[in-house]
Amino acid sequence: MTRRPGRESIRSVFDVLPDPSARRWQLPRISAEDRWVGGVAGATARELGVDPLVVRASFVILALAGGWGLLLYAAAWLILAIAQPRQVARYLPQPKAASPFHRYVAVAMVVLGLLMVFRNATFFVADIVWPIAFVISGFLIAWTRHRDADGVAAVVRILAGVVVGVGGMIAFLTLSSGTGFADAFLVLLIGVAVILGIALVAAPSLVRIGRELDDERQSRVRADERARVAAHLHDSVLQTLTLIQHHADDPARTAQLARHQERALRSWLYRPDAATGFGTLRLRGALEEVTADVEDEHAVSVKMVVVGDATEIAVASADRLAALIGAAREAMVNAARHSGAPRIDVFAERLDDRIEVFVRDTGVGFDPSAVGSDRRGVRESIEGRMRRAGGTAEIRTRRGAGTEVVLTMPIPPRADDANHTAASGTTAETPVSR
Amino acid sequence: MTADVVRVVLVDDHGIVRHGVRAAVSGADPIRLGAREWRIDVIDEAEDVAEAIEVIVRSRPDVVVCDVHLPGGNAAAVIRGVIARGVTAKFLALSVSDAADDVIEVIRAGARGYVTKSIDGPELADAIVRVHAGDAVFSPLLAGFVLDTFSADLDAPIDPELDRLTAREQEVMRHLARGYTYKEIARQLTISVKTVETHASAVLRKLQLSNRGELTRWAADRRIV
C-alpha cells in the first residue's frame, strides 16, 4: 500500500512516507509479547509511555471497586480487538508528556478520579478498596523503574513508596473508622503478617505458574515469528527467483530484480525498525525510498550512507526536507542518465544546524559552463529548488573526472534532551540500525 | 619487476562465494602499492570456525579474508582463536550484512578492515594488498558508522587520545563515506596518500580501543571486554 512518488517533483514530504495512514493517530495495538490476559494493559501502557505493570495494577484496583474495572477492561478489549485488523503494521506511539513523572502522576489521577466516581456505586467496599490501593501504589512507587537509578535516588524512591503505602493505610484506618493510631498500626501489622504467610505458602506454585505462562507466551511469539518469516520469504524472495529464471537471458532485467530484492531483504533482516512514526520524519527513511526508486527506474546501483539520524526532524521543517530530498533525487537521476557510471554514492549527514547530502559518481562528468542557460535541467531542478527552500546546492564537476552534487539545507537545531532520549530508540546500523 | 606475493586464506561457509572470490582476486592484474607490485595467491580455504583456525595455524597466511557469519560462531571467534594460538595474520572481514553489531564486533576483535560482498574484484584485491601492507580498509558504510559513533554525546570521562576524532580524521572519514578512494581523498585534501592511510589507521585503532558508550555497551551486552 505504498504511495510511490511520481516521476515529477515531490510536492509534499508526505509523498515519501511509506504509508499515508501512519500520519493519523491510531488505537493502541495489542501485541503478542506484552499480553497477560487480553493485552489491553500492554497496549495502553505503550501508548501512554508508562510501565505496563502500573496499568495492570490500576485495572486491578478498579476491578475491586465494585467490579467496574472489569467492565472497563472488557470494553477496552472489545474495542481494541475489533479495531485490530484495520491497523497498519508499523505504528510507533508518541510519548504523551515529556517527563515520565508527569505521566505516572497523570495515571494516578485518572485512577483516583475513577475511584471517586465509583465510590457511590454498589459493591464498592471502601474498607477493602482504599487500603489495597494504597499498598499497591506504594509498592509500585518503590518497584517500578527502580532499575535505572542508583544510589540516593533509588533509596528515596523506595522510602517514598513505603511511606505512601503504609502511611496511606494508617491514615485511612484512623480517619475513616475512628480507631486510634496504635490500633491502626496493629491492624496493619496483622494484615502484613497474614499476607506474608499466604505469600510464603503460595510462592512456589505462583512462581511455577508464572514461568509456565511465560514459556507459553514465548513459544507463541516464536511460532508467530516463524510464520511471519516464512510468509515473507515465500512472497518476495521465491517470487523474485522465479521471475529471474524467466528473464535469465535479459541480464539487465535480472540484475534489476536481484538488486531490488537484495535491498528489500537486507532492510527487512537487519533493520526491522526502519519505519517512520506518525508526525515525524526520518531522513534515512525518506532517502531510502528515493534511492530505491532511482535504482529500480534507471538500472544503476545506489549506495547510501546516512550519519546522525537518531533524532526526528520537526514537522515544521517538512518543506525544507521535501526540497532536499527532491533535489537529491534529481541529482541521482542526472547521474544515472548522463554519467555512465554503474554506481552512485549518496552520503547524508545530519549535523546540529543543517543537513548535508552528497551525491557522487565517478562517471564522465560535464563542463558546467557549456550547459546552455536556456536548458532548465540542473539549474532549476536542483539549484533553484534548494535556493527557494532556503538551502544551497553546489555542483562540482569536470569533464572526465566525475560529478559531485553537494546539497546543504539549514534546519532548526536538535530538540531538547527529553525528546532526544525519548526518540532515539533505534540506533543506526545499527545502533547503528543502519 | 617481479611481483611480491600475498598469501591469502578464504573463510566462508558458501562454496560459491569462495570460488567467486578466488577467481576475482587471483585473476586480477598485479596491484601496485607504493613502489612495489603485488600478486595474490589463495593458498587455502575453510568453511567454519574450527576449520578456519586449524587452517590458519597450519598454513600461516599473510591475510585472511573472512565472512562475518560462520557456522559455529563468527569472524571474531576465528580472530580470537588464532590469536590464542599465537599466530599473527591480518584479517579482512567480508560480509553481506550491514548490521552495526557485526561491524563493531569484528573490528574490536582485531580485523583491519571491513568490506561488503557487493565490492568488485579489483577493489577487493586492492583491499587485501592494503591490509597486508598494514593499512586500514574502510568501506563507506564503516566510515559512516565511525562518524555516527564518535559524534554521539559522551556519557563517560573522555580519553582525548581514543574517544574523539581529530578534525582531519573526520574529514577523511566523511570523504570515505562519500565514496572517495584514498587516492581521491589525497588529491581532494592535497595531502599524500600515505597521510590518508595514517589517518585511517588511527581511526581504526580508536574504534578498537575506545571506551565510548556505544562500543562498551555493545561489548557488555555480549560479555566481551
Side-chain angles (χ1 to χ4, degrees):
Chain A
M1 257 181 306
T2 311
R3 262 178 51 206
R4 316 288 269 163
R7 280 161 182 266
E8 299 313 313
S9 58
I10 299 170
R11 246 162 287 110
S12 142
V13 69
F14 293 124
D15 286 341
V16 292
L17 286 179
D19 192 314
S21 68
R23 278 178 277 156
R24 299 193 305 268
W25 178 83
Q26 296 170 357
L27 282 171
R29 182 176 178 76
I30 294 177
S31 107
E33 295 111 43
D34 205 7
R35 197 185 134 141
W36 283 30
V37 177
V40 170
T44 314
R46 217 176 19 257
E47 175 72 24
L48 296 173
V50 296
D51 197 313
L53 199 59
V54 169
V55 180
R56 288 191 183 109
S58 306
F59 274 116
V60 165
I61 295 176
L62 289 172
L64 290 172
W68 286 99
L70 292 172
L71 275 175
L72 269 179
Y73 190 91
W77 191 17
L78 271 176
I79 295 175
L80 292 182
I82 289 178
Q84 187 103 312
R86 296 204 208 97
Q87 288 170 28
V88 175
R90 296 214 175 123
Y91 166 64
L92 304 169
Q94 283 286 80
K96 293 294 176 292
S99 137
F101 181 70
H102 289 138
R103 288 179 236 144
Y104 285 109
V105 167
V107 170
M109 295 186 77
V110 166
V111 173
L112 199 58
L114 285 173
L115 283 178
M116 294 295 191
V117 167
F118 297 149
R119 201 169 37 146
N120 299 316
T122 48
F123 301 123
F124 185 94
V125 185
D127 288 342
I128 294 182
V129 176
W130 291 111
I132 293 189
F134 281 122
V135 168
I136 292 182
S137 314
F139 176 72
L140 284 177
I141 293 178
W143 176 261
T144 315
R145 293 173 65 89
H146 79 290
R147 316 167 209 111
D148 60 2
D150 322 300
V152 178
V155 174
V156 165
R157 195 176 281 127
I158 292 178
L159 277 179
V162 170
V163 163
V164 166
V166 171
M169 281 268 293
I170 293 182
F172 173 73
L173 286 173
T174 45
L175 290 174
S176 70
S177 43
T179 47
F181 181 80
D183 287 341
F185 198 64
L186 200 59
V187 168
L188 189 61
L189 275 181
I190 295 175
V192 167
V194 168
I195 291 177
L196 274 180
I198 297 178
L200 280 172
V201 167
S205 13
L206 280 177
V207 166
R208 188 169 40 85
I209 292 177
R211 208 174 290 139
E212 277 172 20
L213 276 176
D214 205 42
D215 285 343
E216 190 204 308
R217 194 165 17 115
Q218 297 241 5
S219 57
R220 198 174 359 123
V221 167
R222 261 196 302 267
D224 286 345
E225 190 64 27
R226 245 197 318 271
R228 208 164 64 89
V229 171
H232 184 273
L233 282 177
H234 180 263
D235 281 346
S236 52
V237 176
L238 290 177
Q239 284 187 12
T240 302
L241 289 174
T242 311
L243 273 175
I244 285 180
Q245 289 181 58
H246 282 155
H247 293 271
D249 50 353
D250 181 356
R253 177 108 177 99
T254 304
Q256 186 192 9
L257 284 167
R259 219 176 5 243
H260 177 91
Q261 193 50 64
E262 184 208 338
R263 198 176 50 240
L265 192 58
R266 179 190 296 264
S267 154
W268 186 79
L269 275 176
Y270 298 119
R271 293 191 288 278
D273 313 312
T276 61
F278 85 98
T280 63
L281 303 159
R282 283 182 167 251
L283 179 63
R284 177 191 312 283
L287 267 180
E288 267 174 1
E289 180 87 0
V290 165
T291 57
D293 278 350
V294 171
E295 270 196 339
D296 285 345
E297 289 164 17
H298 296 277
V300 280
S301 166
V302 183
K303 292 282 173 277
M304 190 187 76
V305 176
V306 178
V307 169
D309 190 35
T311 54
E312 280 98 359
I313 298 162
V315 179
S317 301
D319 286 342
R320 296 198 197 172
L321 191 64
L324 180 64
I325 303 292
R329 172 188 244 277
E330 285 305 313
M332 287 182 228
V333 168
N334 274 345
R337 278 201 196 125
H338 305 301
S339 74
R343 193 185 91 204
I344 303 171
D345 289 302
V346 176
F347 173 64
E349 186 171 11
R350 200 247 196 248
L351 300 157
D352 265 337
D353 60 343
R354 64 189 190 280
I355 301 177
E356 289 182 340
V357 177
F358 300 81
V359 179
R360 183 170 181 264
D361 68 78
T362 48
V364 298
F366 64 95
D367 182 359
S369 57
V371 175
S373 52
D374 54 316
R375 272 190 56 198
R376 298 193 27 150
V378 158
R379 288 281 118 79
E380 253 319 288
S381 61
I382 300 182
E383 289 179 352
R385 186 197 296 252
M386 289 296 290
R387 200 179 46 243
R388 277 191 297 277
T392 57
E394 189 192 337
I395 301 177
R396 305 175 187 164
T397 180
R398 211 171 59 235
R399 201 152 255 306
T403 309
E404 186 169 29
V405 177
V406 183
L407 306 170
T408 311
M409 180 63 75
I411 48 167
R414 291 175 208 267
D416 58 278
D417 274 357
N419 288 342
H420 185 227
T421 43
S424 58
T426 57
T427 46
E429 255 69 49
T430 352
V432 216
S433 63
R434 172 163 305 132
Chain B
M1 149 180 33
T2 54
D4 292 319
V5 172
V6 181
R7 298 164 63 253
V8 170
V9 161
L10 296 178
V11 182
D12 194 306
D13 56 329
H14 291 112
I16 197 168
V17 170
R18 295 198 306 273
H19 183 86
V21 171
R22 182 191 276 269
V25 301
S26 309
D29 295 327
I31 297 125
R32 163 160 306 216
L33 190 70
R36 298 157 80 176
E37 272 196 351
W38 300 87
R39 215 173 30 82
I40 293 177
D41 188 18
V42 178
I43 58 175
D44 214 335
E45 297 175 1
E47 274 189 352
D48 57 44
V49 172
E51 190 189 350
I53 297 175
E54 281 311 310
V55 161
I56 294 168
V57 168
R58 188 179 61 227
S59 52
R60 307 288 170 125
D62 300 314
V63 174
V64 178
V65 177
C66 189
D67 189 6
V68 166
H69 295 129
L70 293 169
N74 54 18
V78 175
I79 297 175
R80 283 192 286 271
V82 162
I83 291 175
R85 301 276 284 270
V87 172
T88 53
K90 299 201 177 75
F91 278 78
L92 177 66
L94 178 73
S95 175
V96 75
S97 147
D98 279 357
D101 290 354
D102 296 334
V103 178
I104 310 178
E105 179 162 24
V106 87
I107 297 287
R108 296 277 275 192
R112 299 286 304 172
Y114 186 101
V115 294
T116 50
K117 275 181 183 165
S118 51
I119 196 175
D120 61 31
E123 279 181 32
L124 180 57
D126 183 71
I128 291 172
V129 169
R130 283 197 287 122
V131 163
H132 175 55
D135 299 334
V137 171
F138 281 81
S139 66
L141 209 59
L142 178 56
F145 169 69
V146 166
L147 287 168
D148 246 337
T149 310
F150 282 87
S151 70
D153 295 328
L154 289 170
D155 48 32
I158 62 159
D159 176 347
E161 288 281 308
L162 289 180
D163 292 343
R164 277 217 184 107
L165 299 181
T166 67
R168 226 18 169 178
E169 287 164 357
Q170 278 191 32
E171 274 302 298
V172 170
M173 284 298 120
R174 275 210 184 87
H175 281 79
L176 282 172
R178 278 150 66 177
Y180 283 62
T181 62
Y182 282 14
K183 229 185 322 195
E184 287 163 346
I185 299 177
R187 191 168 44 220
Q188 179 84 358
L189 302 180
T190 55
I191 52 182
S192 73
V193 175
K194 190 73 196 118
T195 313
V196 176
E197 285 158 359
T198 307
H199 286 308
S201 290
V203 172
L204 189 80
R205 183 172 156 269
K206 290 181 185 185
L207 198 56
Q208 282 173 338
L209 300 179
S210 166
N211 284 319
R212 285 196 67 114
E214 263 99 52
L215 299 171
T216 47
R217 200 173 305 136
W218 164 89
D221 283 345
R222 280 156 187 71
R223 287 180 208 91
I224 303 165
V225 167

